[in-house]
Amino acid sequence: MTESTEPTSSTVDGDVLVDVQGLEVHFPIKGGLVLDRTIGHVLAVDGVSLRVTRGETYGLVGESGCGKSTLGRAMLRLVEPTGGRVVFDGTDLSALRGESLRRMRRRMQMVFQDPLSSLDPRQSVESILVEGMRAHGLDRDRAATATRLRELLSSVGLPASALRKYPHEFSGGQRQRIGIARALTVRPDLIIADEPVSALDVSVQAQVINLMADLQQEFGLTYLVIAHDLAVVRHISDRVGVMYLGGLVEEAGSEALYADPLHPYTRALLSAVPVPDPAVEDRRERILLAGDLPSPAAPPPGCRFHTRCPWRQPERCDTERPELREVLPGQRVACHYAEDIRAGRIQPHEVRPELVEAGATGPLDTSAAGPASVTEILGGP
């Protein structure tokens, strides 16, 4: 279990809508002749603590397989957490069952990554939108329901004639608009958007992002946006959390994080984002991470990032898992040496990728193998 700290008062201001406390999602690995014996666990989410304030957009980023989508689903209990708590508007969701959980879910909706597979191809748009309203008893007046559906479609930029059509008759961007409209039908407070624009063309991405921002103002929504595109997250988010191998490694306001990232992993992610100005591109820091993402079924001991970190200090990084702590006002980071790295007191060095034996809990000795890749640091601005 991760040692996590609660966000301090200076980290989160305002009315907290969602309070995630040490959330864990561990999937069992089955083995044996009849696959009925648990031989291990995949630590998809391993002790994440964060808060989302009412009316803000919280961006969650990280590479594929880091646990972003699982965290979002666990917050809504679409996936049952193994440990920890999610407190939504003062109510502990883990204590809810049956009808009480169903009623609470009206206030929490999700927009899924693939707009085609998340819409039933056998249902018309009208049937898709009414389904959620009917489940929560919001369609008792047919005339009022018809009016609301037309208003919602207008809000997401679709004509009323779309109600009679089926998902395959729309483009990808239009289908995503239908997915957003479906989430809005039950008047939620929170929308978790899982990669809402990753399947769309760049020009359509901008339209959907701007639409989400407009809807947030119109309906007073709170967003948690899961994405791997850092440019999208920067544009839409008030605060950003960075995940690596099931844990939150950094959290800060959007502008602060992009201007002064503190965790080595965040610096590596941002160094990979293209910059349109060639003069800036030539001078900025570039970090090429060595090795592959470790398996969440056998994460490294100590700091999860130490196997790929250019600033690794073995005496502590290899054995002690860092807590998520506030280093600058409003900026939390899980790194033992964040201040030293930022001040230049620790210099980057070459990283030797470590070979991990299947099922092992630690790296094998590769001292005789030589480096397979080099972490290159170019002079910063």
Side-chain angles (χ1 to χ4, degrees), residues 66-130:
C66 72
K68 306 185 302 296
S69 296
T70 303
L71 174 61
R73 290 168 182 263
M75 288 172 63
L76 301 184
R77 281 189 60 187
L78 299 178
V79 172
E80 283 297 328
T82 308
R85 298 198 311 161
V86 178
V87 179
F88 180 83
D89 201 14
T91 301
D92 185 355
L93 297 185
S94 62
L96 300 181
R97 297 289 185 275
E99 180 64 18
S100 58
L101 177 60
R102 190 186 69 82
R103 287 198 302 267
M104 184 62 74
R105 278 198 172 134
R106 185 193 68 77
R107 302 179 60 192
M108 309 176 295
Q109 292 294 301
M110 192 160 192
V111 175
F112 296 93
Q113 178 175 359
D114 186 349
L116 182 58
S117 64
S118 64
L119 301 175
D120 189 338
R122 297 170 296 180
Q123 290 184 283
S124 66
V125 170
E126 181 176 14
S127 177
I128 289 171
L129 298 182
V130 168

Side-chain angles (χ1 to χ4, degrees), residues 215-235:
L215 293 173
Q216 185 175 36
Q217 295 296 321
E218 182 179 353
F219 295 104
L221 298 170
T222 302
Y223 288 138
L224 187 140
V225 178
I226 299 167
H228 65 270
D229 189 327
L230 296 172
V232 168
V233 172
R234 182 176 189 176
H235 179 76

Side-chain angles (χ1 to χ4, degrees), residues 89-291:
D89 201 14
T91 301
D92 185 355
L93 297 185
S94 62
L96 300 181
R97 297 289 185 275
E99 180 64 18
S100 58
L101 177 60
R102 190 186 69 82
R103 287 198 302 267
M104 184 62 74
R105 278 198 172 134
R106 185 193 68 77
R107 302 179 60 192
M108 309 176 295
Q109 292 294 301
M110 192 160 192
V111 175
F112 296 93
Q113 178 175 359
D114 186 349
L116 182 58
S117 64
S118 64
L119 301 175
D120 189 338
R122 297 170 296 180
Q123 290 184 283
S124 66
V125 170
E126 181 176 14
S127 177
I128 289 171
L129 298 182
V130 168
E131 185 175 32
M133 299 179 68
R134 183 170 298 128
H136 293 283
L138 301 176
D139 70 330
R140 293 188 177 92
D141 186 327
R142 295 186 61 181
T145 297
T147 299
R148 175 156 178 78
L149 294 185
R150 289 194 295 270
E151 289 175 348
L152 281 176
L153 287 181
S154 176
S155 295
V156 300
L158 293 175
S161 59
L163 290 170
R164 299 186 297 272
K165 297 182 180 180
Y166 290 81
H168 71 272
E169 300 181 71
F170 297 93
S171 67
Q174 290 173 325
R175 285 193 289 263
Q176 195 61 289
R177 291 169 185 263
I178 294 169
I180 294 171
R182 176 176 61 181
L184 292 173
T185 56
V186 294
R187 300 182 176 91
D189 297 309
L190 170 71
I191 290 182
I192 295 180
D194 186 6
E195 301 278 9
V197 297
S198 64
L200 308 178
D201 293 337
V202 174
S203 59
V204 181
Q205 287 183 7
Q207 296 173 14
V208 173
I209 290 170
N210 292 333
L211 169 66
M212 292 178 65
D214 293 341
L215 293 173
Q216 185 175 36
Q217 295 296 321
E218 182 179 353
F219 295 104
L221 298 170
T222 302
Y223 288 138
L224 187 140
V225 178
I226 299 167
H228 65 270
D229 189 327
L230 296 172
V232 168
V233 172
R234 182 176 189 176
H235 179 76
I236 198 173
S237 300
D238 301 303
R239 286 189 302 129
V240 178
V242 181
M243 284 190 70
Y244 181 81
L245 205 62
L248 198 66
V249 297
E250 186 166 359
E251 180 188 76
S254 178
E255 292 305 317
L257 184 117
Y258 282 81
D260 189 15
L262 299 179
H263 196 281
Y265 178 62
T266 309
R267 294 176 66 166
L269 287 181
L270 294 179
S271 75
V273 178
V275 175
D277 186 344
V280 175
E281 180 72 22
D282 290 340
R283 290 185 290 108
R284 72 187 184 123
E285 178 182 63
R286 189 176 304 280
I287 304 173
L288 305 178
L289 294 179

